[in-house]
Amino acid sequence: MRIEKLQETDKPQVMALLRQVNMHHVPSPEMPRISWENYFVARMNGRVVGFCGYRILSDTEAKTELMAVDRACRGMGLGLQLQALRMREMARQGVKTLITNCDLPESIAWYKKHFGYEEIGRLKKEHEFGSPDIGYWTTLRVDLERWSASGKNEQDERP
């Protein structure tokens, strides 16, 4: 498995992964556009099995965008590797504060446990996106400088 910058030819496979998690409604009120220039893919045997991206909001703040791992490849640590990679990339660019919106309780707990995120609020969903059973996003924030200083950015983040 290798992780690399997204190529134009990867977009159909990324959209297929988004369908698995009901986040393929783009453009939409929940996701007006995708910042393709800031996306990475995890590739296994030539096939995209995971991806992640982010959007820079200012010189010091950014927001994660989408991330998904193919159902057949979950539990292999790909999500950990993708998240750590995008956090390192944003920290390298000088981002100090990273915001993430998430709806699944298990994903919220994962961000907190592995990356030190803190819950800072909730946003009502504007339409069905992600889990159809949850009508809001939990907003999480992490201090990238503190995360980087913790040494976790040097780890491979494999289980």
Side-chain angles (χ1 to χ4, degrees):
M1 197 267 314
R2 68 177 198 262
I3 298 175
E4 58 194 22
K5 288 291 278 180
L6 174 134
Q7 303 297 314
E8 185 69 29
T9 55
D10 296 327
K11 290 179 182 179
Q13 291 180 77
V14 166
M15 293 307 292
L17 289 176
L18 284 172
R19 277 185 206 82
Q20 287 186 12
V21 293
N22 193 34
M23 292 187 170
H24 60 287
H25 308 289
V26 181
S28 71
E30 296 294 344
M31 192 74 192
R33 71 175 187 85
I34 297 177
S35 302
W36 292 112
E37 67 277 9
N38 297 322
Y39 272 68
F40 297 91
V41 296
R43 196 180 308 282
M44 203 176 281
N45 300 321
R47 188 171 68 89
V48 173
V49 296
F51 72 91
C52 67
Y54 62 91
R55 177 184 311 264
I56 299 293
L57 302 175
S58 72
D59 288 343
T60 60
E61 189 174 38
K63 181 181 181 310
T64 60
E65 281 191 344
L66 303 164
M67 181 167 74
V69 173
D70 189 303
R71 284 187 184 109
C73 298
R74 292 185 186 161
M76 300 169 62
L78 296 178
L80 288 169
Q81 292 177 61
L82 287 164
Q83 177 66 14
L85 173 87
R86 70 179 169 180
M87 288 176 74
R88 283 192 301 268
E89 180 62 23
M90 286 180 269
R92 185 188 65 72
Q93 293 180 49
V95 171
K96 295 178 184 353
T97 304
L98 177 60
I99 302 293
T100 297
N101 287 324
C102 193
D103 59 354
L104 299 174
E106 58 272 20
S107 296
I108 294 163
W110 180 84
Y111 279 110
K112 290 176 177 181
K113 175 184 176 182
H114 294 287
F115 300 100
Y117 277 85
E118 297 174 348
E119 220 170 294
I120 62 167
R122 288 188 173 169
L123 296 170
K124 185 179 182 304
K125 288 184 181 178
E126 298 190 40
H127 70 93
E128 185 185 309
F129 199 84
S131 175
D133 301 325
I134 300 171
Y136 60 89
W137 299 107
T138 297
T139 302
L140 305 168
R141 177 178 57 208
V142 66
D143 179 327
L144 275 182
E145 289 181 315
R146 186 172 63 219
W147 177 78
S148 293
S150 74
K152 288 195 175 225
N153 65 324
E154 300 300 323
Q155 297 174 11
D156 200 13
E157 291 293 345
R158 289 185 191 155

